[in-house]
């Protein structure tokens, strides 16, 4: 335990919550705050927040003294910050995720060198009921004006850290002063004591055991709330194929423990349980509870700690094992059950792949940095409902780690906007492109209007599979970001987050071209480093980071309306508008319909989303047009080659959409010999395998700029992609595209080649074709 450190802390008696500054009290009074906070927290089974602001050395001394006075040992404490000033567990803010799935009596977040919003979100939930969350910070009055390490990460070129505003921290400090249960000692002065005089916590009665349970009774004896019992019982459905269970809850409700109890039972019954999630450490609670239950049940099993991640293997065929999402999506080794932990942190396309499992469960945080539960429910639930799985829903609301009136949870939700959501459907359901107003929203507009800020951020959450507290700080402080929105009667119905990129100095461009790390500027980076165009960083652009339309008014043209307004605003001020995203046919068509053209398709899948990312540009100036033209040309030059190698598994409908979204007519360039080879295929005089190149050139032209849009069906274009561009074996192509035989597949391709030859071949080529038919 750290030694008590005497330090001058001033206070005088006052009315609780009076924020007037007082002076003249002793250090003992300050330590009494920590002691009183802890006593009140324990009595109410809640948590309290203690802010110690001022000189770094003094606040660290006061933190040691406060924890000592509160009776919290070093074994129960974790310091998160630049240095370990207490004899206890320590992590830097960048490693705050080490506290995921764990509980501590005290967590000290040292924010003197930087305040990472994600670190706040990850650490505040680790404090147990009766514990203290201690925040060390510079003097609160000047803190928003200072620039720290996190601010430096927001200063992407060509901006400097001086261009970063302090809006997030200013709002953060305001929430500290406004919320219950938060004591503030600022530069030795007690500003507020944080005491709330709550009633003592009432014991939570143990849940009754279900009478019709399949899981062993010892399982339900480990449940702490009725919510957790109901969730565990819902997992019983997973013993039968064709079942899906969805468990939604805020943090600290015990959903991962419930999943672990279920996994242990299923493994004991010889089921192979595959657990996946964004990170193994966030799913560690599933393994801990499963292992503990197996021990309780007396089941013979081995815990393989030599492997990373851990694996629990029962003496029979049962096991509980982990695989990251990109591996788990292929259902390796044929699991009986899949449990997807923190499902809202994974994109819809990835989640859809788990619907092929015999039985599957999704646990997700409704509000939290792990992901957007609302996004999960809006964007994925329709796909789940359309599946053949029978779905059981469970909602867990009762906290387990602390009381349900915990003021620190209320503060964290507001400070980090963890529960931000768009307006309710009824307020905007009549919105159309004709009724909305285009708005340029600055931080000055958002900060004083909490409802507007929550609606904007709530919609942005839906635009991405994972939104974190740092995204709120970027929204408010990053000098390269701007927000544009459409509002209907004052409520946000569509929103876009834009990032300025390009306009880079010669030295920055050289650093980027030579492989050096340059923050931000994603599109210039891709075009410079991967595609070797050092000049790509010269033109200035606006990249659409996220765009979202309220679910209640989708398919009305509001997204396109917002993009057209953005184009009108920026067209005279930038060289290009751009976007990069995980390609799906629907999304590519949306962006193409709004004037964006393909210039790049990534050759490796995103490990989390499972999608290939596409880069698209909409030029606004001559320089932007030149950039788009040369990269569009290079894309068409290389696409056939990469589709037969790194992109040979890309969805053919994605390939069709991406090629259709290229700009400009590029004529077919075949030699006389190439044409003779092509013209001989329909009649059987030659074969494609002699030289696939001319056939790929014809296919590229057909898909990117068709001379006759009705000449081929969608299925025939898929055949061209799979066989000609991606070089799949005839047997695989025939099976995938449901041809009755390989011979029928070949005949169909011959007919396609004939039509393309007649569309693009000169008269002598037609004669060559007719000669063999």
């Amino acid at each position: 335990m750290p030694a008590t450190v005497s330090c001058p802390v001033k206070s005088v008696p006052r009315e609780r919550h009076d924020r007037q500054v007082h002076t003249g009290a002793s250090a003992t009074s300050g330590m009494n705050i920590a002691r009183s906070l802890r006593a009140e927290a324990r009595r109410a089974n809640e948590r309290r927040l203690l802010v110690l602001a001022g000189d770094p050395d003094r606040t660290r001394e006061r933190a040691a003294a406060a924890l000592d006075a509160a009776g919290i040992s070093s074994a129960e404490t974790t310091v998160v910050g630049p240095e370990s000033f207490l004899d206890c567990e320590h992590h830097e803010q960048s490693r705050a995720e080490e506290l995921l799935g764990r509980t501590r009596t005290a967590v000290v977040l040292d924010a003197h060198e930087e305040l990472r919003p994600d670190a706040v979100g990850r650490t505040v939930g680790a404090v147990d009921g009766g514990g203290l969350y201690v925040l060390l910070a510079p003097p609160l009055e000047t803190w928003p004006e200072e620039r720290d390490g996190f601010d430096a990460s927001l200063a992407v070129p060509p901006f400097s850290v001086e261009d970063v505003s302090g809006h997030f921290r200013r709002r953060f400090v305001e929430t500290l002063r406004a919320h219950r249960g938060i004591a503030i000692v600022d530069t030795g002065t007690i500003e507020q004591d944080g005491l709330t005089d709550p009633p003592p916590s009432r014991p939570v009665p143990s849940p009754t055991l279900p009478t019709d349970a399949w899981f062993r009774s010892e399982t339900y004896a480990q449940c702490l709330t009725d919510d957790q019992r109901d969730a565990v019982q819902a997992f019983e459905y997973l013993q039968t194929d064709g079942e899906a269970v969805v468990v939604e809850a805020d943090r600290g409700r015990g959903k991962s423990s419930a999943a672990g109890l279920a996994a242990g039972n299923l493994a004991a019954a010889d089921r192979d349980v595959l657990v996946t999630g964004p990170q193994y450490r966030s799913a560690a609670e599933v393994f801990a509870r499963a292992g503990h239950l197996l021990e309780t049940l007396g089941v013979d099993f081995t815990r393989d700690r030599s492997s990373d991640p851990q694996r629990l293997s029962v003496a029979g065929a049962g096991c509980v094992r982990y695989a990251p999402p990109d591996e788990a999506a292929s259902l390796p080794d044929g699991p009986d059950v899949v449990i997807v932990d923190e499902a809202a942190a994974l994109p819809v396309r990835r989640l859809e792949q788990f619907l092929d499992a015999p039985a599957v469960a999704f646990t997700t945080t409704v509000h939290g940095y792990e992901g957007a539960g609302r996004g999960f429910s809006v964007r994925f639930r329709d796909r789940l409902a359309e599946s053949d799985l029978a779905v059981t829903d469970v909602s867990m609301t009762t906290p387990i780690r602390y009381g349900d009136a915990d003021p620190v949870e209320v503060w964290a939700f507001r400070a980090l906007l963890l529960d931000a959501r768009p307006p309710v459907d009824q307020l905007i359901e009549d919105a159309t492109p004709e009724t909305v107003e285009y708005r340029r929203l600055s931080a000055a507009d958002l900060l004083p209007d909490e409802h507007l800020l929550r609606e904007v951020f709530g919609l942005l959450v839906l635009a991405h599979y994972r939104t974190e507290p740092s995204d709120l700080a970027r929204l408010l402080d990053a000098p390269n970001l701007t927000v544009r929105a459409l509002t209907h009667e004052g409520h946000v119905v569509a929103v876009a987050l834009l990032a300025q990129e390009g306009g880079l100095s010669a030295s920055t461009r050289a650093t980027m071209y030579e492989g050096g790390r340059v923050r931000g500027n994603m599109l210039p980076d891709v075009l410079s480093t991967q595609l070797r165009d050092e000049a790509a960083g010269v033109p200035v652009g606006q990249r659409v980071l996220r765009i979202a339309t309220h679910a209640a008014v989708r398919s009305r043209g509001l997204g396109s309306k917002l993009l057209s307004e953005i184009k009108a605003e920026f067209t005279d001020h930038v060289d290009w508008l751009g976007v990069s995203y995980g390609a799906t046919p629907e999304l590519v068509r949306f962006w193409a319909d709004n004037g964006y053209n393909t210039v790049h398709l990534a050759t490796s899948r995103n490990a989390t989303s499972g999608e290939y990312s596409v880069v698209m540009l909409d030029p606004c100036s001559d320089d932007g047009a030149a950039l788009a033209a040369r990269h569009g040309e290079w894309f068409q030059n290389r696409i056939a080659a990469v589709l037969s190698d790194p992109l040979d598994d890309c969805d053919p409908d994605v390939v069709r959409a991406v090629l259709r979204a290229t700009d400009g007519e590029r004529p077919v360039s075949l030699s006389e010999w190439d044409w003779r080879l092509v013209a001989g295929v329909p009649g059987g005089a030659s074969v494609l395998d002699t030289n696939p190149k001319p056939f790929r050139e014809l296919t590229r032209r057909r898909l990117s700029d068709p001379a006759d849009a009705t000449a081929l069906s969608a299925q025939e274009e898929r055949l061209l992609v799979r066989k000609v561009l991606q070089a799949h074996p005839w047997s695989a192509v025939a099976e995938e595209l449901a041809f009755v035989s390989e011979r029928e597949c070949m005949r169909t391709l011959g007919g396609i080649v004939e039509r393309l030859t007649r569309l693009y071949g000169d008269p002598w080529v037609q004669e060559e074709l007719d000669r063999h038919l």
Side-chain angles (χ1 to χ4, degrees):
M1 179 182 299
T4 301
V5 178
S6 178
C7 50
V9 180
K10 306 171 185 176
S11 179
V12 295
R14 61 182 179 86
E15 290 295 322
R16 189 172 294 128
H17 310 307
D18 178 8
R19 298 190 183 88
Q20 179 180 351
V21 173
H22 299 277
T23 59
S26 67
T28 303
S29 299
M31 297 310 99
N32 284 340
I33 290 180
R35 186 180 296 109
S36 299
L37 284 174
R38 176 85 197 286
E40 185 174 272
R42 298 178 72 176
R43 185 173 70 251
N45 188 33
E46 296 174 352
R47 302 168 303 168
R48 295 294 182 267
L49 197 165
L50 172 61
V51 180
L52 300 175
D55 175 78
D57 291 338
R58 299 297 294 276
T59 60
R60 290 163 187 159
E61 291 174 356
R62 288 168 181 151
L67 294 174
D68 192 35
I72 301 175
S73 71
S74 59
E76 303 172 273
T77 302
T78 298
V79 170
V80 179
E83 62 183 61
S84 179
F85 59 89
L86 297 175
D87 183 20
C88 66
E89 178 185 24
H90 167 254
H91 302 289
E92 295 185 358
Q93 288 194 40
S94 61
R95 302 289 295 172
E97 68 271 11
E98 296 293 337
L99 290 178
L100 287 174
R102 301 174 56 202
T103 56
R104 309 293 285 156
T105 304
V107 173
V108 181
L109 181 68
D110 186 343
H112 279 290
E113 292 190 5
E114 65 175 350
L115 175 68
R116 294 194 180 199
D118 291 349
V120 178
R122 290 169 179 163
T123 56
V124 71
V127 180
D128 205 357
L132 296 182
Y133 188 65
V134 182
L135 174 66
L136 310 185
L140 298 187
E141 289 302 318
T142 60
W143 193 19
E145 310 308 321
E146 297 183 12
R147 295 297 165 262
D148 63 17
F150 178 75
D151 293 327
S153 72
L154 304 183
V156 304
F159 297 98
S160 66
V161 70
E162 287 75 21
D163 298 312
V164 178
S165 66
H167 298 307
F168 174 81
R169 279 202 302 276
R170 186 170 295 108
R171 182 180 180 276
F172 189 80
V173 169
E174 289 172 357
T175 64
L176 291 172
R177 287 172 165 157
H179 277 261
R180 300 168 57 252
I182 300 175
I184 297 176
V185 180
D186 195 344
T187 57
T189 300
I190 299 174
E191 185 174 321
Q192 58 193 48
D193 60 26
L195 300 175
T196 64
D197 286 336
S201 65
R202 292 175 296 178
V204 178
S206 298
T208 57
L209 302 183
T211 58
D212 56 346
W214 179 73
F215 289 164
R216 297 263 295 270
S217 60
E218 294 92 334
T219 306
Y220 293 100
Q222 295 188 25
C223 293
L224 300 179
T225 64
D226 290 344
D227 278 355
Q228 196 172 48
R229 175 204 60 203
D230 294 344
V232 171
Q233 190 165 21
F235 277 112
E236 292 189 359
Y237 286 108
L238 299 179
Q239 65 181 306
T240 305
D241 288 355
E243 296 286 340
V245 175
V246 177
V247 180
E248 292 187 335
D250 285 326
R251 293 181 70 190
R253 270 62 179 175
K255 62 183 180 302
S256 294
S257 295
L261 293 172
N265 273 281
L266 292 165
D270 291 337
R271 301 308 203 275
D272 178 355
V273 182
L274 176 63
V275 180
T276 189
Q279 297 174 330
Y280 170 70
R281 59 174 61 91
S282 64
E285 178 67 12
V286 176
F287 286 82
R289 292 307 295 267
H292 182 264
L293 177 65
L294 290 171
E295 292 173 349
T296 302
L297 298 178
V299 174
D300 186 16
F301 77 101
T302 59
R303 191 192 306 267
D304 186 357
R305 289 191 172 93
S306 63
S307 65
D308 185 18
Q310 188 181 135
R311 178 188 179 106
L312 309 178
S313 299
V314 176
C319 71
V320 184
R321 56 192 172 98
Y322 177 86
D326 56 331
E327 295 178 18
S330 63
L331 305 180
D333 300 324
D336 299 307
V337 177
V338 174
I339 296 177
V340 184
D341 189 55
E342 296 303 348
L346 299 178
V348 171
R349 186 174 177 84
R350 177 64 82 206
L351 294 174
E352 287 177 333
Q353 295 176 284
F354 297 114
L355 299 181
D356 293 329
V360 61
F362 302 94
T363 71
T364 184
T365 300
V366 180
H367 308 119
Y369 67 89
E370 297 94 335
R374 176 69 174 163
F376 171 87
S377 61
V378 169
R379 302 171 64 199
F380 177 64
R381 293 307 295 267
D382 288 345
R383 315 288 177 88
L384 182 58
E386 293 166 358
S387 73
D388 295 329
L389 298 170
V391 181
T392 301
D393 287 289
V394 181
S395 178
M396 302 175 67
T397 59
T398 306
I400 289 178
R401 298 180 190 168
Y402 38 78
D404 56 10
D406 180 70
V408 175
E409 182 175 76
V410 175
W411 165 78
F413 273 32
R414 185 184 170 207
L416 304 177
L417 286 189
L418 298 180
D419 56 349
R421 61 185 59 208
V424 296
D425 295 359
Q426 295 85 340
L427 293 175
I428 50 84
E429 59 188 0
D430 295 330
T432 67
E434 293 72 35
T435 67
V436 295
E437 176 187 359
Y438 178 65
R439 295 192 61 183
R440 308 174 185 183
L441 297 176
S442 66
D445 298 314
L446 296 172
L447 279 173
D449 192 335
E450 185 80 3
H451 290 292
L452 182 63
L453 176 61
R454 294 174 69 85
E455 288 185 358
V456 165
F457 197 64
L459 261 186
L460 288 173
V461 165
L462 296 188
H464 199 254
Y465 56 85
R466 184 167 185 169
T467 300
E468 299 179 320
S470 58
D471 293 307
L472 175 62
R474 291 187 181 93
L475 174 71
L476 294 175
D477 289 339
N480 65 319
L481 298 188
T482 55
V483 179
R484 298 295 182 262
L486 298 179
T487 60
H488 174 76
E489 297 180 353
H491 296 285
V492 179
V493 297
V495 63
L497 183 63
L498 309 175
Q500 178 179 317
E501 297 188 346
L504 304 178
S505 67
S507 60
T508 301
R509 298 198 310 273
T511 298
M512 183 180 288
Y513 184 76
E514 294 163 7
R517 180 172 176 79
V518 176
R519 289 189 303 272
N521 291 276
M522 192 274 281
L523 262 61
D525 191 1
V526 169
L527 302 182
S528 296
T529 59
Q530 296 185 34
L531 302 179
R532 312 312 300 155
D533 180 9
E534 188 170 357
V538 175
V540 178
Q542 288 282 343
R543 177 165 65 94
V544 183
L545 291 177
R546 300 185 188 180
I547 183 169
T549 301
H550 196 292
V553 291
R554 287 178 183 160
S555 302
R556 298 185 188 179
L558 290 168
S560 296
K561 167 73 171 178
L562 180 54
L563 288 177
S564 69
E565 294 284 358
I566 290 170
K567 178 70 177 285
E569 176 187 350
F570 285 100
T571 191
D572 294 329
H573 306 286
V574 298
D575 298 302
W576 53 263
L577 300 172
V579 67
S580 178
Y581 57 91
T584 65
E586 299 79 12
L587 283 176
V588 175
R589 286 194 290 270
F590 168 79
W591 287 101
D593 289 344
N594 283 282
Y596 289 71
N597 301 123
T598 305
V599 295
H600 180 59
L601 184 62
T603 54
S604 60
R605 291 184 184 271
N606 181 281
T608 303
S609 71
E611 297 166 346
Y612 290 107
S613 294
V614 62
V615 176
M616 304 179 77
L617 293 177
D618 180 10
C620 301
S621 72
D622 290 344
D623 288 344
L627 178 71
R630 67 177 179 267
H631 281 281
E633 178 76 11
W634 294 347
F635 174 76
Q636 296 221 36
N637 284 341
R638 68 180 183 274
I639 187 60
V642 295
L643 283 170
S644 63
D645 191 8
L647 288 173
D648 64 353
D649 63 341
C650 188
D651 186 317
D653 286 332
V654 169
V655 175
R656 293 171 59 227
V658 164
L659 281 169
R660 191 62 49 85
T662 52
D663 184 32
E665 178 179 328
R666 186 169 179 263
V668 174
S669 179
L670 300 184
S671 68
E672 178 180 340
W673 186 88
D674 290 337
W675 275 120
R676 292 189 187 280
L677 176 65
V678 169
V681 163
S686 59
V687 294
L688 180 150
D689 291 341
T690 301
N691 180 16
K693 183 177 180 180
F695 299 92
R696 292 174 180 173
E697 176 67 9
L698 274 177
T699 298
R700 180 208 57 76
R701 171 61 193 273
R702 160 65 200 184
L703 296 180
S704 62
D705 186 24
D708 178 0
T710 64
L712 298 181
S713 68
Q715 186 73 341
E716 288 172 323
E717 290 187 348
R718 294 184 189 106
L719 173 55
L720 284 174
V721 173
R722 281 301 196 216
K723 182 58 194 172
V724 177
L725 295 180
Q726 296 179 319
H728 285 206
W730 284 111
S731 58
V733 175
E735 180 180 0
E736 178 184 350
L737 300 182
F739 284 97
V740 296
S741 66
E742 291 181 35
R743 182 177 295 275
E744 176 64 21
C745 187
M746 293 177 182
R747 278 199 298 266
T748 301
L749 184 60
I752 294 171
V753 172
E754 178 186 352
R755 275 171 277 169
L756 295 181
T757 302
R758 296 196 186 281
L759 281 171
Y760 301 113
D762 292 335
W764 75 266
V765 179
Q766 314 289 336
E767 294 175 3
E768 182 74 11
L769 177 67
D770 292 337
R771 178 180 178 182
H772 300 293
L773 291 177

